[in-house]
Amino acid sequence: MSEGKNGKPRDAESRKERGVALRAGFYIFGTHVFAGFVWLLFYLGEHAGT
């Protein structure tokens, strides 16, 4: 196993990077789902037959 900076194994570093990318993907996905829900609320409110 090769070692990166600070004597840490490279596998731990790549695992950490993969975790950050996965977390960012979840945040981006979740933000879009939330924005879609808010948009749906405005759409339904605009088309409510009152």
Side-chain angles (χ1 to χ4, degrees), residues 24-40:
F26 278 134
Y27 287 157
I28 292 168
F29 178 76
T31 301
H32 280 84
V33 169
F34 178 72
F37 178 69
V38 171
W39 177 84
L40 181 65

